Amino acid sequence: MPGKNVSTAGPLSPDEVALRDELRANVQKLAGEIAERNMWHYPQLNAAADFIEASFSRAGLRTRRDSYDMSGQTCHNIEAEIPGSMQGATASQPSHLPIVIVGAHYDSVFGSPGANDNGSGMAATLALARRFAGAKPKHTLRFVAFVNEEPPYFLSGEMGSLVYARRCKERGDKISAMISLETIGYFSDAPNSQTYPSPGLGVFYPKIGNFIGFVSNIKSRALLRRVIMLFRKHAKIPSEGASLPAFIPGVSWSDQWSFWQQGYPAIMVTDTAPFRYPYYHSSNDTPDKLDYDRFTLVVSGMEKVIEDLDKL
Ligand SMILES: [Zn+2]
């Protein structure tokens, strides 16, 4: 779904400026202060988990740790839920309602402070959760921070999001949409700043990395189309979308994959990471590399998408 490009509109609104400040502070905390956070830096991984949980709580959200054990060390996915108000739900059985999940991984790859990957996605999840904290959605809304997305857990049974998605399936949760926010803060206007996993795609899509990407597998394409349509209604930043076979490099590279494994519709929002970002998975993935204005426009666009998804 190559898109007609909108040009990025003028200065940020006061709301957007506040959102930008919040995103910058979250990225700074995760990638600047805590920095590398993974099983080799276990205290930092837990410091990130504590920060995320405190941030959800401060927003007034009910949080839950979805924990599991890995070689004697406990790992935590962290969930904040806003129960849906649709008819038929009861306080004791809110999970029978359709659930919309917005999530991001909070670990960073070995050797990297992970500002864009995935301080950006996590910062956005926290900011969005705070914006919906007072809402009365029809659907149940969940904001989830996933642990252990990066190798060697990537696409394995020890990946945090797969543990989480399996438990959702076992409980019978009806997940109508899962949105994975993965590396969403880097943009460039330079010629040929955008590459693709296969040369064929480069024929249809832009060669300038100034857009935000929406990606799904073939089975989730109805959700992908709906999200892109809603995003383009509001967003002030160009977008491109593609439903592709999951084996194409990059398509499965985040937590949406875990939900596909359990048969749930899921999509990824991404700046395309390794196909654009020069500091991907390196020690130079630091907070100063992000384009906070355009990152903000992505997140404010996603706020509208989540609002509109709830009306359907
Ligand atoms: Zn990542």
Short mmCIF file of all heavy atoms in Angstrom, two decimals, residues 217-270:
data_model
loop_
_atom_site.label_atom_id
_atom_site.label_comp_id
_atom_site.label_asym_id
_atom_site.label_seq_id
_atom_site.Cartn_x
_atom_site.Cartn_y
_atom_site.Cartn_z
N ASN A 217 1.73 -9.35 8.38
CA ASN A 217 1.70 -10.55 7.55
C ASN A 217 0.42 -10.52 6.71
O ASN A 217 -0.42 -9.62 6.86
CB ASN A 217 1.81 -11.82 8.43
CG ASN A 217 0.61 -11.98 9.37
OD1 ASN A 217 -0.24 -11.12 9.47
ND2 ASN A 217 0.57 -13.11 10.06
N ILE A 218 0.26 -11.49 5.86
CA ILE A 218 -0.88 -11.49 4.94
C ILE A 218 -2.20 -11.61 5.73
O ILE A 218 -3.17 -10.93 5.43
CB ILE A 218 -0.75 -12.65 3.92
CG1 ILE A 218 0.56 -12.52 3.13
CG2 ILE A 218 -1.97 -12.72 3.01
CD1 ILE A 218 0.61 -11.41 2.13
N LYS A 219 -2.20 -12.47 6.75
CA LYS A 219 -3.45 -12.72 7.50
C LYS A 219 -3.97 -11.48 8.22
O LYS A 219 -5.16 -11.36 8.46
CB LYS A 219 -3.21 -13.83 8.54
CG LYS A 219 -3.65 -15.21 8.05
CD LYS A 219 -3.43 -16.24 9.13
CE LYS A 219 -4.72 -16.61 9.83
NZ LYS A 219 -4.47 -17.71 10.81
N SER A 220 -3.08 -10.56 8.58
CA SER A 220 -3.50 -9.37 9.35
C SER A 220 -3.75 -8.17 8.44
O SER A 220 -3.81 -7.03 8.91
CB SER A 220 -2.44 -9.01 10.39
OG SER A 220 -2.23 -10.07 11.28
N ARG A 221 -3.92 -8.41 7.12
CA ARG A 221 -3.96 -7.25 6.23
C ARG A 221 -5.21 -6.39 6.41
O ARG A 221 -5.17 -5.19 6.16
CB ARG A 221 -3.71 -7.64 4.78
CG ARG A 221 -4.87 -8.26 4.11
CD ARG A 221 -4.60 -8.53 2.66
NE ARG A 221 -5.58 -9.54 2.30
CZ ARG A 221 -5.31 -10.72 1.75
NH1 ARG A 221 -4.09 -11.02 1.43
NH2 ARG A 221 -6.26 -11.57 1.50
N ALA A 222 -6.34 -6.98 6.86
CA ALA A 222 -7.54 -6.16 7.07
C ALA A 222 -7.27 -5.15 8.20
O ALA A 222 -7.60 -3.96 8.07
CB ALA A 222 -8.73 -7.03 7.42
N LEU A 223 -6.64 -5.61 9.26
CA LEU A 223 -6.28 -4.69 10.36
C LEU A 223 -5.29 -3.63 9.88
O LEU A 223 -5.43 -2.44 10.18
CB LEU A 223 -5.67 -5.49 11.53
CG LEU A 223 -5.09 -4.65 12.67
CD1 LEU A 223 -6.18 -3.84 13.37
CD2 LEU A 223 -4.37 -5.54 13.70
N LEU A 224 -4.32 -4.06 9.08
CA LEU A 224 -3.31 -3.12 8.58
C LEU A 224 -3.98 -2.00 7.76
O LEU A 224 -3.70 -0.82 7.96
CB LEU A 224 -2.28 -3.84 7.72
CG LEU A 224 -1.13 -2.93 7.27
CD1 LEU A 224 -0.05 -2.88 8.34
CD2 LEU A 224 -0.54 -3.34 5.95
N ARG A 225 -4.88 -2.40 6.86
CA ARG A 225 -5.57 -1.41 6.01
C ARG A 225 -6.36 -0.42 6.85
O ARG A 225 -6.35 0.78 6.60
CB ARG A 225 -6.54 -2.11 5.07
CG ARG A 225 -5.83 -2.85 3.98
CD ARG A 225 -6.69 -2.84 2.69
NE ARG A 225 -5.92 -3.47 1.63
CZ ARG A 225 -6.19 -4.68 1.13
NH1 ARG A 225 -7.23 -5.35 1.54
NH2 ARG A 225 -5.42 -5.18 0.19
N ARG A 226 -7.05 -0.95 7.87
CA ARG A 226 -7.88 -0.09 8.72
C ARG A 226 -6.99 0.91 9.47
O ARG A 226 -7.29 2.10 9.51
CB ARG A 226 -8.65 -0.97 9.72
CG ARG A 226 -9.87 -0.30 10.29
CD ARG A 226 -10.63 -1.20 11.26
NE ARG A 226 -10.83 -2.54 10.78
CZ ARG A 226 -10.68 -3.65 11.53
NH1 ARG A 226 -10.32 -3.55 12.79
NH2 ARG A 226 -10.89 -4.84 11.02
N VAL A 227 -5.89 0.42 10.02
CA VAL A 227 -5.02 1.31 10.80
C VAL A 227 -4.41 2.39 9.90
O VAL A 227 -4.38 3.57 10.27
CB VAL A 227 -3.91 0.50 11.51
CG1 VAL A 227 -2.84 1.41 12.07
CG2 VAL A 227 -4.52 -0.36 12.62
N ILE A 228 -3.98 2.02 8.71
CA ILE A 228 -3.38 3.02 7.81
C ILE A 228 -4.41 4.05 7.40
O ILE A 228 -4.14 5.25 7.37
CB ILE A 228 -2.78 2.33 6.57
CG1 ILE A 228 -1.58 1.48 6.98
CG2 ILE A 228 -2.35 3.36 5.53
CD1 ILE A 228 -1.00 0.68 5.84
N MET A 229 -5.63 3.57 7.11
CA MET A 229 -6.69 4.49 6.71
C MET A 229 -6.95 5.51 7.83
O MET A 229 -7.03 6.71 7.58
CB MET A 229 -7.93 3.65 6.41
CG MET A 229 -9.05 4.34 5.70
SD MET A 229 -10.35 4.76 6.85
CE MET A 229 -10.99 3.15 7.27
N LEU A 230 -7.03 5.02 9.06
CA LEU A 230 -7.28 5.92 10.19
C LEU A 230 -6.08 6.85 10.42
O LEU A 230 -6.26 8.04 10.70
CB LEU A 230 -7.56 5.11 11.46
CG LEU A 230 -8.81 4.22 11.43
CD1 LEU A 230 -8.89 3.36 12.70
CD2 LEU A 230 -10.07 5.05 11.26
N PHE A 231 -4.89 6.33 10.28
CA PHE A 231 -3.69 7.15 10.49
C PHE A 231 -3.65 8.29 9.48
O PHE A 231 -3.38 9.44 9.82
CB PHE A 231 -2.43 6.28 10.38
CG PHE A 231 -1.16 6.99 10.75
CD1 PHE A 231 -0.76 7.08 12.08
CD2 PHE A 231 -0.35 7.57 9.78
CE1 PHE A 231 0.41 7.74 12.44
CE2 PHE A 231 0.83 8.23 10.13
CZ PHE A 231 1.21 8.31 11.46
N ARG A 232 -3.95 7.98 8.23
CA ARG A 232 -3.85 9.00 7.17
C ARG A 232 -4.93 10.07 7.30
O ARG A 232 -4.77 11.18 6.78
CB ARG A 232 -3.90 8.33 5.79
CG ARG A 232 -2.60 7.62 5.52
CD ARG A 232 -2.55 6.98 4.14
NE ARG A 232 -1.28 6.29 3.98
CZ ARG A 232 -1.05 5.33 3.10
NH1 ARG A 232 -2.00 4.95 2.26
NH2 ARG A 232 0.14 4.75 3.03
N LYS A 233 -6.03 9.73 7.98
CA LYS A 233 -7.08 10.72 8.21
C LYS A 233 -6.55 11.88 9.06
O LYS A 233 -7.00 13.00 8.93
CB LYS A 233 -8.23 10.05 8.99
CG LYS A 233 -9.55 10.01 8.26
CD LYS A 233 -10.58 9.16 8.98
CE LYS A 233 -11.08 9.77 10.28
NZ LYS A 233 -11.99 8.85 11.00
N HIS A 234 -5.63 11.58 9.95
CA HIS A 234 -5.21 12.58 10.93
C HIS A 234 -3.76 13.00 10.82
O HIS A 234 -3.40 14.11 11.20
CB HIS A 234 -5.39 12.03 12.35
CG HIS A 234 -6.78 11.58 12.66
ND1 HIS A 234 -7.80 12.46 12.92
CD2 HIS A 234 -7.33 10.35 12.75
CE1 HIS A 234 -8.92 11.80 13.16
NE2 HIS A 234 -8.66 10.50 13.05
N ALA A 235 -2.91 12.09 10.36
CA ALA A 235 -1.47 12.28 10.61
C ALA A 235 -0.86 13.38 9.75
O ALA A 235 -1.29 13.63 8.63
CB ALA A 235 -0.75 10.97 10.38
N LYS A 236 0.15 14.00 10.30
CA LYS A 236 0.86 15.08 9.63
C LYS A 236 2.24 14.60 9.19
O LYS A 236 3.19 15.38 9.10
CB LYS A 236 0.99 16.27 10.58
CG LYS A 236 -0.38 16.92 10.81
CD LYS A 236 -0.52 17.81 12.04
CE LYS A 236 0.61 18.69 12.45
NZ LYS A 236 0.35 19.39 13.73
N ILE A 237 2.34 13.29 8.93
CA ILE A 237 3.62 12.74 8.49
C ILE A 237 3.32 11.65 7.46
O ILE A 237 2.31 10.95 7.59
CB ILE A 237 4.42 12.19 9.70
CG1 ILE A 237 5.80 11.69 9.28
CG2 ILE A 237 3.66 11.11 10.46
CD1 ILE A 237 6.78 11.55 10.43
N PRO A 238 4.14 11.53 6.41
CA PRO A 238 3.86 10.52 5.39
C PRO A 238 3.91 9.10 5.96
O PRO A 238 4.65 8.84 6.92
CB PRO A 238 4.98 10.71 4.36
CG PRO A 238 5.60 12.02 4.67
CD PRO A 238 5.34 12.32 6.11
N SER A 239 3.13 8.20 5.36
CA SER A 239 3.12 6.81 5.82
C SER A 239 3.12 5.88 4.62
O SER A 239 2.63 6.24 3.54
CB SER A 239 1.88 6.57 6.67
OG SER A 239 0.72 6.94 5.96
N GLU A 240 3.64 4.69 4.84
CA GLU A 240 3.63 3.64 3.82
C GLU A 240 3.24 2.35 4.52
O GLU A 240 3.57 2.15 5.70
CB GLU A 240 5.03 3.45 3.21
CG GLU A 240 5.60 4.69 2.53
CD GLU A 240 4.89 5.04 1.24
OE1 GLU A 240 4.28 4.14 0.63
OE2 GLU A 240 4.92 6.23 0.86
N GLY A 241 2.56 1.46 3.79
CA GLY A 241 2.16 0.21 4.42
C GLY A 241 2.33 -0.96 3.51
O GLY A 241 2.26 -0.83 2.29
N ALA A 242 2.56 -2.15 4.10
CA ALA A 242 2.67 -3.36 3.31
C ALA A 242 2.27 -4.57 4.12
O ALA A 242 2.71 -4.74 5.27
CB ALA A 242 4.11 -3.53 2.82
N SER A 243 1.42 -5.42 3.52
CA SER A 243 1.16 -6.76 4.07
C SER A 243 2.01 -7.71 3.25
O SER A 243 1.82 -7.82 2.05
CB SER A 243 -0.30 -7.15 3.90
OG SER A 243 -1.12 -6.31 4.64
N LEU A 244 2.93 -8.36 3.91
CA LEU A 244 3.91 -9.18 3.19
C LEU A 244 4.01 -10.55 3.83
O LEU A 244 3.71 -10.71 5.01
CB LEU A 244 5.29 -8.49 3.24
CG LEU A 244 5.41 -7.14 2.55
CD1 LEU A 244 6.69 -6.44 2.99
CD2 LEU A 244 5.37 -7.30 1.04
N PRO A 245 4.45 -11.54 3.06
CA PRO A 245 4.68 -12.85 3.69
C PRO A 245 5.68 -12.71 4.84
O PRO A 245 6.65 -11.96 4.74
CB PRO A 245 5.28 -13.68 2.54
CG PRO A 245 4.85 -12.98 1.29
CD PRO A 245 4.77 -11.51 1.64
N ALA A 246 5.40 -13.43 5.93
CA ALA A 246 6.19 -13.26 7.16
C ALA A 246 7.65 -13.64 6.98
O ALA A 246 8.50 -13.25 7.78
CB ALA A 246 5.55 -14.08 8.28
N PHE A 247 7.98 -14.37 5.89
CA PHE A 247 9.38 -14.79 5.72
C PHE A 247 10.25 -13.69 5.12
O PHE A 247 11.46 -13.78 5.14
CB PHE A 247 9.47 -16.07 4.86
CG PHE A 247 8.94 -15.91 3.46
CD1 PHE A 247 9.71 -15.30 2.47
CD2 PHE A 247 7.67 -16.35 3.13
CE1 PHE A 247 9.22 -15.15 1.18
CE2 PHE A 247 7.17 -16.21 1.84
CZ PHE A 247 7.96 -15.60 0.86
N ILE A 248 9.65 -12.63 4.61
CA ILE A 248 10.48 -11.54 4.06
C ILE A 248 11.22 -10.86 5.21
O ILE A 248 10.61 -10.54 6.24
CB ILE A 248 9.61 -10.53 3.27
CG1 ILE A 248 9.11 -11.22 1.99
CG2 ILE A 248 10.37 -9.24 2.95
CD1 ILE A 248 8.42 -10.33 1.01
N PRO A 249 12.53 -10.67 5.08
CA PRO A 249 13.30 -10.12 6.20
C PRO A 249 12.69 -8.82 6.72
O PRO A 249 12.34 -7.95 5.94
CB PRO A 249 14.69 -9.86 5.59
CG PRO A 249 14.78 -10.80 4.44
CD PRO A 249 13.37 -10.95 3.91
N GLY A 250 12.55 -8.74 8.03
CA GLY A 250 12.02 -7.53 8.66
C GLY A 250 10.56 -7.65 9.04
O GLY A 250 10.13 -7.06 10.02
N VAL A 251 9.78 -8.41 8.29
CA VAL A 251 8.32 -8.44 8.51
C VAL A 251 7.98 -9.00 9.90
O VAL A 251 7.08 -8.52 10.57
CB VAL A 251 7.61 -9.25 7.39
CG1 VAL A 251 6.12 -9.41 7.67
CG2 VAL A 251 7.82 -8.57 6.04
N SER A 252 8.73 -10.01 10.31
CA SER A 252 8.45 -10.68 11.60
C SER A 252 9.30 -10.14 12.75
O SER A 252 9.23 -10.68 13.84
CB SER A 252 8.74 -12.17 11.48
OG SER A 252 7.94 -12.75 10.49
N TRP A 253 10.09 -9.11 12.48
CA TRP A 253 11.11 -8.74 13.44
C TRP A 253 10.63 -7.90 14.61
O TRP A 253 11.21 -6.87 14.93
CB TRP A 253 12.26 -8.01 12.74
CG TRP A 253 13.06 -8.90 11.84
CD1 TRP A 253 12.88 -10.24 11.64
CD2 TRP A 253 14.15 -8.52 11.00
NE1 TRP A 253 13.80 -10.71 10.72
CE2 TRP A 253 14.59 -9.67 10.32
CE3 TRP A 253 14.80 -7.29 10.76
CZ2 TRP A 253 15.63 -9.66 9.40
CZ3 TRP A 253 15.85 -7.27 9.85
CH2 TRP A 253 16.27 -8.44 9.19
N SER A 254 9.60 -8.35 15.29
CA SER A 254 9.26 -7.74 16.58
C SER A 254 8.11 -8.51 17.21
O SER A 254 7.79 -9.62 16.78
CB SER A 254 8.93 -6.25 16.45
OG SER A 254 8.87 -5.68 17.75
N ASP A 255 7.48 -7.90 18.20
CA ASP A 255 6.52 -8.62 19.04
C ASP A 255 5.22 -8.99 18.34
O ASP A 255 4.50 -9.86 18.84
CB ASP A 255 6.27 -7.79 20.30
CG ASP A 255 7.57 -7.56 21.07
OD1 ASP A 255 8.21 -8.56 21.43
OD2 ASP A 255 7.96 -6.40 21.25
N GLN A 256 4.90 -8.37 17.21
CA GLN A 256 3.71 -8.78 16.46
C GLN A 256 3.80 -10.25 16.08
O GLN A 256 2.79 -10.96 16.05
CB GLN A 256 3.48 -7.88 15.23
CG GLN A 256 4.43 -8.06 14.06
CD GLN A 256 5.77 -7.39 14.30
OE1 GLN A 256 6.00 -6.78 15.33
NE2 GLN A 256 6.67 -7.52 13.34
N TRP A 257 5.02 -10.73 15.80
CA TRP A 257 5.24 -12.13 15.42
C TRP A 257 4.65 -13.08 16.46
O TRP A 257 4.01 -14.07 16.12
CB TRP A 257 6.75 -12.38 15.27
CG TRP A 257 7.11 -13.82 15.05
CD1 TRP A 257 7.12 -14.49 13.85
CD2 TRP A 257 7.51 -14.77 16.04
NE1 TRP A 257 7.50 -15.80 14.05
CE2 TRP A 257 7.74 -16.00 15.38
CE3 TRP A 257 7.69 -14.72 17.43
CZ2 TRP A 257 8.14 -17.16 16.06
CZ3 TRP A 257 8.08 -15.86 18.11
CH2 TRP A 257 8.31 -17.06 17.43
N SER A 258 4.84 -12.75 17.74
CA SER A 258 4.37 -13.61 18.83
C SER A 258 2.85 -13.75 18.80
O SER A 258 2.31 -14.81 19.11
CB SER A 258 4.79 -13.02 20.18
OG SER A 258 6.19 -12.86 20.21
N PHE A 259 2.17 -12.68 18.44
CA PHE A 259 0.71 -12.73 18.38
C PHE A 259 0.23 -13.48 17.14
O PHE A 259 -0.77 -14.18 17.20
CB PHE A 259 0.14 -11.29 18.48
CG PHE A 259 0.32 -10.72 19.87
CD1 PHE A 259 1.55 -10.19 20.27
CD2 PHE A 259 -0.71 -10.76 20.79
CE1 PHE A 259 1.74 -9.72 21.56
CE2 PHE A 259 -0.53 -10.28 22.09
CZ PHE A 259 0.70 -9.76 22.47
N TRP A 260 0.97 -13.36 16.06
CA TRP A 260 0.66 -14.17 14.87
C TRP A 260 0.74 -15.66 15.21
O TRP A 260 -0.07 -16.45 14.75
CB TRP A 260 1.63 -13.87 13.71
CG TRP A 260 1.54 -12.47 13.19
CD1 TRP A 260 0.50 -11.60 13.34
CD2 TRP A 260 2.54 -11.78 12.41
NE1 TRP A 260 0.79 -10.41 12.71
CE2 TRP A 260 2.03 -10.49 12.14
CE3 TRP A 260 3.82 -12.11 11.92
CZ2 TRP A 260 2.75 -9.56 11.38
CZ3 TRP A 260 4.52 -11.19 11.18
CH2 TRP A 260 4.00 -9.93 10.91
N GLN A 261 1.73 -16.03 16.02
CA GLN A 261 1.89 -17.44 16.38
C GLN A 261 0.65 -17.98 17.09
O GLN A 261 0.38 -19.18 17.06
CB GLN A 261 3.11 -17.66 17.31
CG GLN A 261 4.45 -17.25 16.73
CD GLN A 261 4.62 -17.76 15.32
OE1 GLN A 261 4.60 -18.95 15.07
NE2 GLN A 261 4.76 -16.84 14.37
N GLN A 262 -0.07 -17.09 17.79
CA GLN A 262 -1.26 -17.52 18.53
C GLN A 262 -2.54 -17.24 17.75
O GLN A 262 -3.64 -17.36 18.29
CB GLN A 262 -1.31 -16.81 19.89
CG GLN A 262 -0.07 -17.00 20.74
CD GLN A 262 0.25 -18.48 20.97
OE1 GLN A 262 -0.64 -19.28 21.24
NE2 GLN A 262 1.52 -18.85 20.84
N GLY A 263 -2.40 -16.84 16.50
CA GLY A 263 -3.57 -16.65 15.64
C GLY A 263 -4.26 -15.29 15.78
O GLY A 263 -5.38 -15.12 15.31
N TYR A 264 -3.61 -14.32 16.43
CA TYR A 264 -4.21 -13.00 16.61
C TYR A 264 -3.77 -12.04 15.50
O TYR A 264 -2.63 -12.10 15.04
CB TYR A 264 -3.76 -12.40 17.95
CG TYR A 264 -4.29 -13.09 19.18
CD1 TYR A 264 -3.42 -13.55 20.17
CD2 TYR A 264 -5.66 -13.25 19.39
CE1 TYR A 264 -3.89 -14.17 21.33
CE2 TYR A 264 -6.14 -13.86 20.55
CZ TYR A 264 -5.25 -14.32 21.51
OH TYR A 264 -5.72 -14.92 22.64
N PRO A 265 -4.68 -11.10 15.11
CA PRO A 265 -4.25 -10.07 14.15
C PRO A 265 -3.31 -9.07 14.82
O PRO A 265 -3.61 -8.57 15.90
CB PRO A 265 -5.57 -9.40 13.72
CG PRO A 265 -6.57 -9.73 14.76
CD PRO A 265 -6.10 -10.95 15.51
N ALA A 266 -2.22 -8.77 14.16
CA ALA A 266 -1.21 -7.88 14.75
C ALA A 266 -0.43 -7.18 13.65
O ALA A 266 -0.22 -7.75 12.58
CB ALA A 266 -0.26 -8.69 15.64
N ILE A 267 -0.02 -5.95 13.93
CA ILE A 267 0.78 -5.19 12.97
C ILE A 267 1.95 -4.52 13.69
O ILE A 267 1.96 -4.40 14.92
CB ILE A 267 -0.05 -4.09 12.26
CG1 ILE A 267 -0.49 -3.01 13.27
CG2 ILE A 267 -1.27 -4.69 11.55
CD1 ILE A 267 -0.85 -1.71 12.61
N MET A 268 2.91 -4.09 12.90
CA MET A 268 4.06 -3.37 13.45
C MET A 268 4.09 -1.96 12.86
O MET A 268 3.88 -1.78 11.66
CB MET A 268 5.35 -4.11 13.09
CG MET A 268 6.62 -3.31 13.39
SD MET A 268 8.14 -4.29 13.20
CE MET A 268 8.11 -4.74 11.47
N VAL A 269 4.35 -0.98 13.72
CA VAL A 269 4.61 0.39 13.28
C VAL A 269 6.11 0.60 13.44
O VAL A 269 6.66 0.34 14.52
CB VAL A 269 3.84 1.41 14.14
CG1 VAL A 269 4.03 2.82 13.61
CG2 VAL A 269 2.36 1.05 14.21
N THR A 270 6.79 1.06 12.38
CA THR A 270 8.25 1.11 12.44
C THR A 270 8.82 2.13 11.47
O THR A 270 8.23 2.40 10.41
CB THR A 270 8.85 -0.29 12.14
OG1 THR A 270 10.26 -0.23 12.21
CG2 THR A 270 8.44 -0.80 10.76
#
